Structure formats: C-alpha cells, structure tokens
Amino acid sequence: MNRLGSFLINLAFYLENSSRYKKTKEFFYNLLENEHYKYKKYFDYVMIIIIISSITIIIEEVNHPLYYWLNVYDIYIVTTIFIVEYILRLWVSDDRRRIIIEEFENSVFLETRFNTKKVLKRIWISIKDYILSPFSIIDLLAILPAYREIRILRIFVLFRAFKIFRYSKNTVQFLEVITSKRTELTILFLLVLFIVFISGVSLYVFEAKTNPNVHSLLDSFYWAFVTISTVGYGDITPKSTEARVFTIAIILSGLGLISFFTSIIVSSFTEKIDEIKEAKVLTKVDRLSYYYLICGYSHLAELLAQKLKNEKKNFLILETDPKKLEQAQKRGYLCIKEDASKKEVLEKIQLKDKVKAAICLAQNDIHNIFIALNIRSVSKSVPIISRTFSKNSYKKLELAGVDYIVSPYQTAGLIASKIITQPIAVEAISDILSKKKNAVCDEVEVLRNSFLENKTIEDIELNKYKLILLGVRRIDEKGKKFYFNPKDNFILKAGDLLIIMGYSISVSHFKSLVIESSLRYARFRK
C-alpha cells in the first residue's frame, strides 16, 4: 500500500471515530439542508437579506460611486460568506470518508490490495456530481460579480437573485412542480420551436424584399415568436396578403399553445397541492414538543378536537376522506390526508418521539384495530384510546394494544338510565366534565421526591387545598389497580395518580406545588 493510501485510510478512520467531527458536520448539514431543523429558517432569513443587499449595491454602482465601506462589504464580506457556504455545502453533500472505509473493508475481506486510484475516482465523481448540480452552479456563479475588474462578470449578479431559491421553500416547491412535468414541457418547447422556425422562414420568404422592417432571418424569427406568444409589439407587421393569412394561423396556434401550457401547470399543481399542504403541516408539527394524535375525523373527533383547542393543547388529525379533511381544515385544525394504519405515515409524523396519546376514532372497529396494531409496531409506550361499536371487539382491541376502550353507545345508555333514576347526580357530573360550574375532575401524578411521595392520605390534608380525593390509580408488577376512596393510612408511591375533584384554581395550585417540590429537591441535590 502506498503512502497516499495509508494516509487516506488513517484519516477516514480518524474522522469516523471523532464525535466532534460528526457533530460539527451534522450541525452544518442541518443548518444548510434540513428543512425541519429549528434554526435553519433564521439562517435562510439572514442569507436572503445578504443577497438582497448585495444585489442592491451592484445595481446602485451602475450610476453612482459607492462608499468605501459598501465596497468592502460587498467584495470581501459577502463574497467570503458565499465562498464559505459553497465549501460547506460541498462538504456536507456526501460522506466521502465512507467511500474510503468501504473500499478498505472490501480489500481486507477479499485479501486484495487497497485500490487508491479507484477510491480517488469515486471521491472525484461524488464531488463532480455536486459541482454540476443546478444549485451548485448558481452558488458558484453568484460569487463572480465580486470581481469588478472584469465588467462582463457583473451579469452574474442575476445568479445572486437565483440563490434566493435555496432559502425559499415555496419557490423550491414550485420548481419541483414544474420539474415533475418536464416531459410535457419539453414537448411543448419543441413544438414552439418548430412553429417559430416555420413561421419565421415563411415571413422571410414572403416579405424579405417588400417589408422594410424585415432585414434578416433573425427579424423574422423575432416576429414569429412575438406573434405566437400573442404579445404583438407591432414593430414588424406583415404587408402581403399571404403573410397576413399566415399570421392568423400563427395567432390561433399561439392560443392553443398557451392553453396547453396553462393546462400543464394547473394539472401539475392540482396533483401536488396535497403534498405541499402536507409538507407545511409536517413543518408545523416538527416544531411542536408534543401533541395528541386523532386518527379519523368523526363527530366524536370533532368534539374532542374542539375540547383540545379550548384547552390550548396541540393535536394532529389523520383522515383519508377529502370532505371530512376539508371540514377539519376550515376549523383551523392541523390535519393531513393520510391513513394512520400505515407504518410509514406514523414514522413521518414522529409518533414515537412526540405523540403524547393516540385516539382511534375511525368509522369501524376493524380499522381501529389496524391503527392500534400499527401504532404498537412503532411505539410500545404511547397510550392508545379507541372507540368501539361492538362488545365483540373489546378483546381484539385489547390484544391490539389499546389501553382504554370507549363505547359511546354503552356510555350513552348508562347515562340515560342514570338520568331516569338520579337526574341531579348526572347533572352535577355533566357540569363538572363540561366545567360549567368552574369545577373539574383531574389527575395529579405523584412525582419522585415531591412532598406527596411516601406520605399517607391523612398527611397530605387535601381539605386545606379545597380538594376532594376520589381515588388512586397504581401500576406495579401486578398490573393496574384503582383504589376508590382509599383509607387515611394509604401510603402514596412515586408514579401513583391521584384522581381529585375541585375548583380549577385549586387543582392548578395543587399541581404547581407538587411540581415545585420535586424540582426544589432536584436543585438541592445539585
């Protein structure tokens, strides 16, 4: 193995084992390329301001002498920023150390000599692919206007304007839509060239000797293009009868071509509009620390969404029916047209990291079961609540991993029977759940090292907080268990949930005291 090969291998493994190198590269990749990185938008704003200021300076320089500091800013500061950005983008565009490591591992496995030339060729191809990419060319050409000595290079100021495309997501999406129809647009472009060519040659043949405005074939091509685009400046007009008849045919062809072009653009945006809307929603979701997932937009989901909105809690709705999705969008809810029973959808919305609870509200139990199974395949810990239409589905939903099962019809029947026998009690419970009397029923977790841990019910003295304890839910090695109205000597443990009832202000105050006592202990330990 030659010295260059040894150097490349040692360097590649050094970088592979360097956590600082990986973190640095990841940071710049996120800053330059990752649309979901929270600081990227600020970087984009700064770059847009720099580009606009640079363009303004170059335009102003045409007729007015510039101040010295403006020259320094544009020639040295802006250009340096563009050069550094170009190098960083080239760096993060590919993981070239992996090329060296892969070739080295193959040579060891096959007991062959490390091929330095092959590695250098692959690295060069990787670099060349980036350099020849459209955005990379724009970045490179945007650096050239800084060199004032060569005045022709100032025309490349246009490419500084094109650099804004990098930092405007809507512009990038527009270009993606246009690119998706490149076959149709190519056919249209070739058709335009053909008609312009035939029309230009025809006008030149008919009027080169009789029309004083037609001096060359280029004039004829110019007239043909202006006519076919239906602009019609009027600087060149046909004089002969034959040319005028031909002009009418060209104008009609132009109208057809414009209609064809319009239909291509409209159809491409119609196809991509859902993807664009979804991308915007996913960007908003990515900025949330957590949210609740509602699978299916039924009437029950509408009530739940309104409740979460009133409580200022974040949530996302997944729905496949376009009409229901439109209803949710009109109410201003975050929602996308996706099927929650697909694993790739749940991974896209970061279910494992951000979903606090998932609520399955599809129109049938089978779909809810599939959704629950899909959620459990992604995360074992996310709480799942599901609606059911039949008692026969209880066991299936439990096997699918659903934590809480709700039957609206069974609940409605139970409430109806209680209204007949105990109307006042039901009215009181209804007022509490709907917060009509400013009274709430809530749960409080016994946090580790809080003043609740290892204390008895009697020690807490809930009366002084103006609260009523309904029960305690505990999860241990035996499973879940609910202790209704526990005795005064019941000892609380970390992780227990107190089900309490009282005025909302009392509940909020009590919760804050529990959290504060836990944090105070943590600060004391530090």
Side-chain angles (χ1 to χ4, degrees), residues 2 25 72 100 119 148 167 177 235 240 270 277 322 328-329 350 384 388 403 411 431 434:
N2 56 32
K25 188 168 185 176
V72 171
I100 302 171
V119 168
R148 300 293 199 272
Y167 314 106
V177 169
D235 51 346
S240 63
T270 302
K277 288 181 179 179
Q329 289 172 340
Q350 304 178 61
I384 303 177
T388 182
D403 299 291
T411 304
D431 287 346
S434 60

Side-chain angles (χ1 to χ4, degrees), residues 36-180:
H36 300 298
Y37 187 53
K38 59 182 178 180
Y39 297 118
K40 187 182 187 305
K41 63 178 181 179
Y42 302 112
F43 172 77
D44 292 347
Y45 295 153
V46 171
M47 292 302 296
I48 289 172
I49 292 171
I50 291 173
I51 292 168
I52 293 174
S53 65
S54 175
I55 294 171
T56 304
I57 290 171
I58 294 178
I59 294 173
E60 184 68 15
E61 188 187 15
V62 174
N63 294 316
H64 302 88
L66 292 179
Y67 292 108
Y68 174 75
W69 65 271
L70 284 177
N71 266 318
V72 171
Y73 167 76
D74 190 44
I75 296 175
Y76 297 104
I77 298 178
V78 174
T79 304
T80 302
I81 291 173
F82 286 170
I83 292 173
V84 171
E85 183 205 15
Y86 183 83
I87 294 172
L88 288 174
R89 288 189 184 276
L90 177 61
W91 177 39
V92 303
S93 64
D94 195 5
D95 198 357
R96 296 175 185 92
R97 71 179 187 278
R98 294 302 310 167
I99 296 175
I100 302 171
I101 294 173
E102 180 184 339
E103 181 62 29
F104 174 74
E105 290 175 346
N106 289 340
S107 66
V108 171
F109 179 75
L110 298 173
E111 297 182 354
T112 58
R113 187 176 180 180
F114 180 78
N115 193 333
T116 307
K117 290 184 179 179
K118 181 180 178 182
V119 168
L120 292 176
K121 183 179 179 181
R122 288 180 61 188
I123 292 174
W124 165 244
I125 291 173
S126 172
I127 294 173
K128 185 184 70 174
D129 289 343
Y130 174 76
I131 291 175
L132 296 179
S133 63
F135 272 127
S136 176
I137 294 173
I138 290 173
D139 288 341
L140 184 61
L141 294 177
I143 298 171
L144 298 180
Y147 302 97
R148 300 293 199 272
E149 291 78 8
I150 308 176
R151 294 186 61 85
I152 190 63
L153 295 182
R154 294 186 184 184
I155 196 173
F156 291 112
V157 67
L158 180 63
F159 289 94
R160 290 195 173 180
F162 287 160
K163 272 180 71 69
I164 295 179
F165 290 169
R166 271 199 182 274
Y167 314 106
S168 175
K169 191 173 182 181
N170 290 333
T171 306
V172 173
Q173 289 174 339
F174 174 79
L175 292 176
E176 289 175 351
V177 169
I178 298 299
T179 304
S180 67

Side-chain angles (χ1 to χ4, degrees), residues 150-323:
I150 308 176
R151 294 186 61 85
I152 190 63
L153 295 182
R154 294 186 184 184
I155 196 173
F156 291 112
V157 67
L158 180 63
F159 289 94
R160 290 195 173 180
F162 287 160
K163 272 180 71 69
I164 295 179
F165 290 169
R166 271 199 182 274
Y167 314 106
S168 175
K169 191 173 182 181
N170 290 333
T171 306
V172 173
Q173 289 174 339
F174 174 79
L175 292 176
E176 289 175 351
V177 169
I178 298 299
T179 304
S180 67
K181 293 293 182 180
R182 57 180 174 271
T183 303
E184 293 89 338
L185 292 174
T186 301
I187 294 172
L188 177 64
F189 178 71
L190 293 175
L191 184 60
V192 169
L193 288 181
F194 175 76
I195 295 177
V196 168
F197 178 77
I198 296 298
S199 304
V201 170
S202 301
L203 182 76
Y204 188 74
V205 170
F206 289 139
E207 307 217 340
K209 295 181 179 180
T210 59
N211 195 326
N213 294 323
V214 180
H215 302 288
S216 65
L217 192 59
L218 180 61
D219 291 336
S220 299
F221 288 147
Y222 163 76
W223 166 84
F225 189 80
V226 170
T227 304
I228 201 173
S229 64
T230 69
V231 174
Y233 290 122
D235 51 346
I236 300 176
T237 55
K239 303 296 183 181
S240 63
T241 304
E242 298 87 346
R244 289 180 176 178
V245 172
F246 206 77
T247 301
I248 295 173
I250 296 173
I251 293 173
L252 293 175
S253 301
L255 292 173
L257 292 174
I258 291 173
S259 301
F260 183 30
F261 176 75
T262 304
S263 65
I264 291 173
I265 300 300
V266 170
S267 64
S268 61
F269 272 99
T270 302
E271 294 170 3
K272 292 285 184 178
I273 192 68
D274 289 336
E275 294 181 20
I276 294 173
K277 288 181 179 179
E278 181 179 313
K280 289 185 176 181
V281 173
L282 291 176
T283 301
K284 292 179 181 178
V285 169
D286 190 66
R287 294 171 185 167
L288 301 176
S289 56
Y290 76 91
Y291 65 93
Y292 294 90
L293 178 64
I294 302 177
C295 306
Y297 190 66
S298 57
H299 178 66
L300 188 60
E302 183 179 340
L303 297 175
L304 175 60
Q306 187 61 47
K307 181 78 172 177
L308 293 174
K309 183 179 181 180
N310 293 339
E311 295 178 357
K312 297 181 179 180
K313 293 182 178 179
N314 304 315
F315 61 92
L316 173 68
I317 299 172
L318 300 183
E319 177 57 66
T320 55
D321 189 336
K323 292 183 179 179

